[in-house]
Amino acid sequence: DRDGDHRADEVHVIASGLSMPSGVAFRDGALYVAAVGRVLRFRDVASRLTRPPAPEVVTSAFPTDGHHGWKFIAFGPDGALYVPVGAPCNVCDPPGPLHATLPRIDPAGGQPEILARGVRNSVGFDWRPGTVWWLLGSAMLCFVAGDTLLLFHVGDSPDTFAPAAST
């Protein structure tokens, strides 16, 4: 907005044809985009807006279910990329090992490491570095009813959550 009219002067399409892209995170000049089933990286994207780089697949290890397939991603204080995976249903036993989890991945690539299980649909999270992890989710499978703010202590078992408040 070079002229101060609160409207973009230019719009650049970085990618198209993605499956439900919903999460973005920026680190070291690269844009990370989460879509159903995978996370992509666009290196040096800010300096290449008129000729965007081809996406690199960081991982395609995630389930491809559309239901609760949105992924709100962020880099944690440890430098890992946190990528929540929802349950493919509202009330069920998760059918796969990554469903209803909050894993992290090395941004260079690799397999997800599960840090929490039983979160039906995380819609946001943040940290107080080294101590606790706050999660906002649409209830936990079989544990808490309603939309819930959850508290996870760093170092706890992936199966251990403490509801902080619920509505």
Side-chain angles (χ1 to χ4, degrees), residues 134-148:
W134 294 94
L135 314 167
L136 183 60
S138 295
M140 294 178 61
L141 294 171
C142 306
F143 297 115
V144 180
D147 292 338
T148 308

PDB file of all heavy atoms in Angstrom, residues 134-148:
ATOM      1  N   TRP A 134      -0.420 -23.800  25.055  1.00  0.00           N
ATOM      2  CA  TRP A 134      -1.852 -23.549  25.082  1.00  0.00           C
ATOM      3  C   TRP A 134      -2.453 -23.940  23.747  1.00  0.00           C
ATOM      4  O   TRP A 134      -1.937 -23.561  22.696  1.00  0.00           O
ATOM      5  CB  TRP A 134      -2.123 -22.067  25.335  1.00  0.00           C
ATOM      6  CG  TRP A 134      -1.696 -21.618  26.684  1.00  0.00           C
ATOM      7  CD1 TRP A 134      -0.495 -21.045  27.007  1.00  0.00           C
ATOM      8  CD2 TRP A 134      -2.426 -21.719  27.889  1.00  0.00           C
ATOM      9  NE1 TRP A 134      -0.451 -20.778  28.346  1.00  0.00           N
ATOM     10  CE2 TRP A 134      -1.632 -21.183  28.911  1.00  0.00           C
ATOM     11  CE3 TRP A 134      -3.692 -22.219  28.209  1.00  0.00           C
ATOM     12  CZ2 TRP A 134      -2.058 -21.120  30.226  1.00  0.00           C
ATOM     13  CZ3 TRP A 134      -4.109 -22.151  29.516  1.00  0.00           C
ATOM     14  CH2 TRP A 134      -3.301 -21.601  30.514  1.00  0.00           C
ATOM     15  N   LEU A 135      -3.563 -24.668  23.765  1.00  0.00           N
ATOM     16  CA  LEU A 135      -4.231 -25.136  22.552  1.00  0.00           C
ATOM     17  C   LEU A 135      -5.679 -24.710  22.575  1.00  0.00           C
ATOM     18  O   LEU A 135      -6.336 -24.825  23.614  1.00  0.00           O
ATOM     19  CB  LEU A 135      -4.205 -26.668  22.479  1.00  0.00           C
ATOM     20  CG  LEU A 135      -2.890 -27.357  22.786  1.00  0.00           C
ATOM     21  CD1 LEU A 135      -3.125 -28.837  22.983  1.00  0.00           C
ATOM     22  CD2 LEU A 135      -1.911 -27.099  21.684  1.00  0.00           C
ATOM     23  N   LEU A 136      -6.188 -24.253  21.461  1.00  0.00           N
ATOM     24  CA  LEU A 136      -7.607 -23.965  21.325  1.00  0.00           C
ATOM     25  C   LEU A 136      -8.172 -25.025  20.405  1.00  0.00           C
ATOM     26  O   LEU A 136      -7.700 -25.193  19.276  1.00  0.00           O
ATOM     27  CB  LEU A 136      -7.820 -22.571  20.737  1.00  0.00           C
ATOM     28  CG  LEU A 136      -9.263 -22.113  20.613  1.00  0.00           C
ATOM     29  CD1 LEU A 136      -9.929 -22.075  21.989  1.00  0.00           C
ATOM     30  CD2 LEU A 136      -9.323 -20.751  19.958  1.00  0.00           C
ATOM     31  N   GLY A 137      -9.137 -25.764  20.883  1.00  0.00           N
ATOM     32  CA  GLY A 137      -9.665 -26.857  20.078  1.00  0.00           C
ATOM     33  C   GLY A 137     -11.166 -26.963  20.176  1.00  0.00           C
ATOM     34  O   GLY A 137     -11.782 -26.473  21.113  1.00  0.00           O
ATOM     35  N   SER A 138     -11.741 -27.619  19.187  1.00  0.00           N
ATOM     36  CA  SER A 138     -13.166 -27.917  19.205  1.00  0.00           C
ATOM     37  C   SER A 138     -13.339 -29.243  19.923  1.00  0.00           C
ATOM     38  O   SER A 138     -13.532 -30.284  19.305  1.00  0.00           O
ATOM     39  CB  SER A 138     -13.718 -27.998  17.783  1.00  0.00           C
ATOM     40  OG  SER A 138     -13.635 -26.748  17.172  1.00  0.00           O
ATOM     41  N   ALA A 139     -13.190 -29.208  21.211  1.00  0.00           N
ATOM     42  CA  ALA A 139     -13.348 -30.351  22.108  1.00  0.00           C
ATOM     43  C   ALA A 139     -12.306 -31.421  21.859  1.00  0.00           C
ATOM     44  O   ALA A 139     -11.646 -31.468  20.829  1.00  0.00           O
ATOM     45  CB  ALA A 139     -14.741 -30.944  22.006  1.00  0.00           C
ATOM     46  N   MET A 140     -12.163 -32.239  22.842  1.00  0.00           N
ATOM     47  CA  MET A 140     -11.251 -33.378  22.777  1.00  0.00           C
ATOM     48  C   MET A 140     -12.079 -34.628  22.633  1.00  0.00           C
ATOM     49  O   MET A 140     -13.168 -34.730  23.182  1.00  0.00           O
ATOM     50  CB  MET A 140     -10.409 -33.463  24.051  1.00  0.00           C
ATOM     51  CG  MET A 140      -9.466 -32.294  24.222  1.00  0.00           C
ATOM     52  SD  MET A 140      -8.554 -32.394  25.754  1.00  0.00           S
ATOM     53  CE  MET A 140      -7.669 -33.914  25.551  1.00  0.00           C
ATOM     54  N   LEU A 141     -11.590 -35.583  21.902  1.00  0.00           N
ATOM     55  CA  LEU A 141     -12.299 -36.839  21.745  1.00  0.00           C
ATOM     56  C   LEU A 141     -12.483 -37.504  23.102  1.00  0.00           C
ATOM     57  O   LEU A 141     -11.519 -37.762  23.811  1.00  0.00           O
ATOM     58  CB  LEU A 141     -11.520 -37.775  20.818  1.00  0.00           C
ATOM     59  CG  LEU A 141     -11.402 -37.307  19.380  1.00  0.00           C
ATOM     60  CD1 LEU A 141     -10.435 -38.197  18.615  1.00  0.00           C
ATOM     61  CD2 LEU A 141     -12.744 -37.292  18.704  1.00  0.00           C
ATOM     62  N   CYS A 142     -13.713 -37.738  23.477  1.00  0.00           N
ATOM     63  CA  CYS A 142     -14.076 -38.509  24.671  1.00  0.00           C
ATOM     64  C   CYS A 142     -13.710 -37.849  25.988  1.00  0.00           C
ATOM     65  O   CYS A 142     -13.843 -38.475  27.023  1.00  0.00           O
ATOM     66  CB  CYS A 142     -13.442 -39.900  24.629  1.00  0.00           C
ATOM     67  SG  CYS A 142     -13.804 -40.811  23.136  1.00  0.00           S
ATOM     68  N   PHE A 143     -13.207 -36.612  26.030  1.00  0.00           N
ATOM     69  CA  PHE A 143     -12.776 -36.035  27.295  1.00  0.00           C
ATOM     70  C   PHE A 143     -13.580 -34.812  27.709  1.00  0.00           C
ATOM     71  O   PHE A 143     -14.037 -34.713  28.813  1.00  0.00           O
ATOM     72  CB  PHE A 143     -11.289 -35.652  27.242  1.00  0.00           C
ATOM     73  CG  PHE A 143     -10.382 -36.815  27.042  1.00  0.00           C
ATOM     74  CD1 PHE A 143      -9.624 -36.921  25.891  1.00  0.00           C
ATOM     75  CD2 PHE A 143     -10.285 -37.808  27.987  1.00  0.00           C
ATOM     76  CE1 PHE A 143      -8.777 -38.002  25.705  1.00  0.00           C
ATOM     77  CE2 PHE A 143      -9.452 -38.892  27.812  1.00  0.00           C
ATOM     78  CZ  PHE A 143      -8.703 -38.984  26.669  1.00  0.00           C
ATOM     79  N   VAL A 144     -13.711 -33.825  26.851  1.00  0.00           N
ATOM     80  CA  VAL A 144     -14.297 -32.544  27.221  1.00  0.00           C
ATOM     81  C   VAL A 144     -15.337 -32.161  26.183  1.00  0.00           C
ATOM     82  O   VAL A 144     -15.107 -32.305  24.991  1.00  0.00           O
ATOM     83  CB  VAL A 144     -13.204 -31.445  27.279  1.00  0.00           C
ATOM     84  CG1 VAL A 144     -13.797 -30.112  27.666  1.00  0.00           C
ATOM     85  CG2 VAL A 144     -12.099 -31.846  28.240  1.00  0.00           C
ATOM     86  N   ALA A 145     -16.455 -31.656  26.629  1.00  0.00           N
ATOM     87  CA  ALA A 145     -17.504 -31.224  25.698  1.00  0.00           C
ATOM     88  C   ALA A 145     -17.316 -29.750  25.359  1.00  0.00           C
ATOM     89  O   ALA A 145     -16.801 -28.985  26.156  1.00  0.00           O
ATOM     90  CB  ALA A 145     -18.866 -31.447  26.327  1.00  0.00           C
ATOM     91  N   GLY A 146     -17.757 -29.364  24.179  1.00  0.00           N
ATOM     92  CA  GLY A 146     -17.714 -27.962  23.781  1.00  0.00           C
ATOM     93  C   GLY A 146     -16.344 -27.512  23.314  1.00  0.00           C
ATOM     94  O   GLY A 146     -15.384 -28.261  23.326  1.00  0.00           O
ATOM     95  N   ASP A 147     -16.292 -26.253  22.908  1.00  0.00           N
ATOM     96  CA  ASP A 147     -15.013 -25.669  22.505  1.00  0.00           C
ATOM     97  C   ASP A 147     -14.186 -25.453  23.761  1.00  0.00           C
ATOM     98  O   ASP A 147     -14.692 -25.029  24.794  1.00  0.00           O
ATOM     99  CB  ASP A 147     -15.223 -24.361  21.758  1.00  0.00           C
ATOM    100  CG  ASP A 147     -15.879 -24.594  20.407  1.00  0.00           C
ATOM    101  OD1 ASP A 147     -15.777 -25.719  19.903  1.00  0.00           O
ATOM    102  OD2 ASP A 147     -16.484 -23.654  19.879  1.00  0.00           O
ATOM    103  N   THR A 148     -12.900 -25.731  23.671  1.00  0.00           N
ATOM    104  CA  THR A 148     -12.093 -25.828  24.875  1.00  0.00           C
ATOM    105  C   THR A 148     -10.726 -25.188  24.698  1.00  0.00           C
ATOM    106  O   THR A 148     -10.105 -25.323  23.654  1.00  0.00           O
ATOM    107  CB  THR A 148     -11.895 -27.328  25.230  1.00  0.00           C
ATOM    108  OG1 THR A 148     -13.168 -27.948  25.273  1.00  0.00           O
ATOM    109  CG2 THR A 148     -11.209 -27.498  26.560  1.00  0.00           C
TER     110      THR A 148
END
